[in-house]
Amino acid sequence: MRGVRDDVLEAVSALRRGGLVGLPTETVYGLGADASNELAVRRIFAVKGRPSRHPLIVHVACADDARRLAAAWPDEAGVLARAFWPGPLTLVVTRASAVSDAVTGGQDTVGLRVPDHPLALELLSTFGGGVAAPSANRFGRVSPTTAQHVRDELGADVDVVLDGGPCRVGVESTIVDLSRGAPRVLRPGGVPREALEAALGAPVPVVTTATDVRAPGLLASHYAPRAGLSLVSAEALAGEAGRRLRDGATVAALVPAASPTPAGVVRFEVAGDDAAYARALYATLREVDARGLDVVLAVPPPATGVGLAVVDRLRRASAPRAPPDDEGHGAR
Ligand code: TXA
Ligand code: MG
């Protein structure tokens, strides 16, 4: 096709063959497959090691394509799609019958998103259909924010990795459930809750426990590096670091620019605001692991704006890590 980049065309033909594509988005890289091809979708679960009943987000090129995959399109969906798409927002709505159980994990709802990345949009509009894509990491681990992370983590299990550069947002999309009445946030992410509330003109609660939704992003231990992670206040950092160092651990600290770090600690500084923290978060946790450090002490940003998503991911990364059961609960 004229005007479409060669690497995008290669990715489109991989999707058409039932292959898996490393998909750059503004949030994190996705592991994409043709949402209408059940075998291809099942391969995603196999490669990720993800329990098959956990639903996937379907990525589309525009809001009209999203509507076609929904059985109902509430007023709030229209408002939020106009305000934030393309962008880091996933809308959970009742699914159209054409959306397969492989994608939704057998649920009657589907998560839909128009990502804000030029290569993703070119891929989606050239492909013409929905692309089911979870984050391109093994289940429970840190999401990839560069093409190299995807290659490092998934290797030959992914057919084509489209390189769209480092992700601009750095944490996953905000998931808003519109399928059960008043909108609620299932996962804080790139669109701040405050911005949702401003667009809707109403408070939007954040769901904190996963009772009636099967969302691995809501499991306690998730998004975890190999290093043990603890949240500490700026004031407590020196004392906690000293204790860990005396125990013989190698210690990293993830801190806002203003916070000093004690001697003997490997310092990872976030220069800037909550958005800068989000952008740096996953790459830093990968770097901590690459250097083989035992412990990372994170001084969190304020839990406002995108900072709420950062605090959420840090909490999950610091949760106790139980061995996985059949459902994958507690899996790393
Ligand atoms: O930013 C993102 O959302 C990235 C990029 C690639 O788009 N994707 C992503 O996908 O984070 P994943 O699979 O790692 O996380 C999606 C979350 C999961 O917790 C899943 O359970 C939840 O969305 N989800 C998907 N469909 C859902 C549905 N119908 N109802 C409730 N939760 C749903
Ligand atoms: Mg994920």
Side-chain angles (χ1 to χ4, degrees):
M1 220 179 288
R2 241 190 337 190
V4 178
R5 290 166 48 142
D6 285 348
D7 52 354
V8 172
L9 288 177
E10 197 193 338
V12 167
S13 68
L15 290 174
R16 295 207 170 118
R17 288 194 306 270
L20 301 186
V21 169
L23 173 75
T25 82
E26 79 281 33
T27 58
V28 301
Y29 274 71
L31 178 64
D34 177 354
S36 70
N37 180 335
E38 285 209 29
L39 276 179
V41 171
R42 286 215 196 93
R43 250 186 89 202
I44 292 179
F45 288 93
V47 165
K48 272 193 69 108
R50 174 160 162 162
S52 63
R53 289 168 65 228
H54 291 287
L56 302 178
I57 294 170
V58 179
H59 298 71
V60 287
C62 61
D64 285 343
D65 289 356
R67 278 183 85 144
R68 277 192 277 278
L69 298 175
W73 196 250
D75 291 344
E76 291 95 338
V79 170
L80 295 176
R82 274 192 296 280
F84 300 109
W85 279 353
L89 177 69
T90 295
L91 298 179
V92 172
V93 292
T94 313
R95 68 163 164 174
S97 53
V99 181
S100 85
D101 280 342
V103 169
T104 68
Q107 302 192 67
D108 60 355
T109 58
V110 61
L112 299 167
R113 168 162 126 79
V114 181
D116 186 15
H117 190 291
L119 278 191
L121 289 170
E122 193 172 346
L123 175 84
L124 292 166
S125 55
T126 309
F127 178 61
V131 171
S135 50
N137 51 283
R138 308 275 181 200
F139 186 64
R141 305 222 53 98
V142 174
S143 300
T145 53
T146 68
Q148 192 57 45
H149 294 162
V150 181
R151 293 188 204 104
D152 289 348
E153 183 143 348
L154 300 180
D157 285 341
V158 52
D159 298 296
V160 177
V161 180
L162 262 184
D163 192 343
C167 297
R168 176 172 60 77
V169 175
V171 291
E172 297 83 351
S173 60
T174 302
I175 303 179
V176 175
D177 184 10
L178 299 174
S179 71
R180 286 170 172 76
R184 13 174 236 160
V185 172
L186 299 185
R187 177 180 72 183
V191 171
R193 173 199 195 173
E194 296 88 337
L196 298 171
E197 295 183 331
L200 292 169
V204 183
V206 178
V207 176
T208 48
T209 51
T211 45
D212 60 343
V213 280
R214 291 198 293 271
L218 302 178
L219 298 178
S221 172
H222 211 73
Y223 310 103
R226 268 171 237 286
L229 187 146
S230 297
L231 275 88
V232 295
S233 66
E235 300 70 41
L237 177 64
E240 186 59 27
R243 267 188 295 283
R244 305 293 185 108
L245 289 167
R246 278 194 296 280
D247 288 347
T250 50
V251 180
L254 176 55
V255 294
S259 297
T261 35
V265 167
V266 181
R267 176 182 175 87
F268 291 92
E269 179 183 299
V270 184
D273 55 5
D274 53 345
Y277 207 127
R279 204 155 39 236
L281 178 66
Y282 290 144
T284 304
L285 297 182
R286 275 174 193 269
E287 178 68 18
V288 166
D289 281 349
R291 295 212 204 166
L293 300 165
D294 299 319
V295 168
V296 52
L297 303 176
V299 176
T304 54
V306 184
L308 182 65
V310 174
V311 171
D312 172 77
R313 304 310 187 270
L314 288 172
R315 286 218 181 100
R316 291 179 203 283
S318 70
R321 298 171 196 176
D325 63 19
D326 290 349
E327 279 288 284
H329 295 283
R332 290 183 61 188

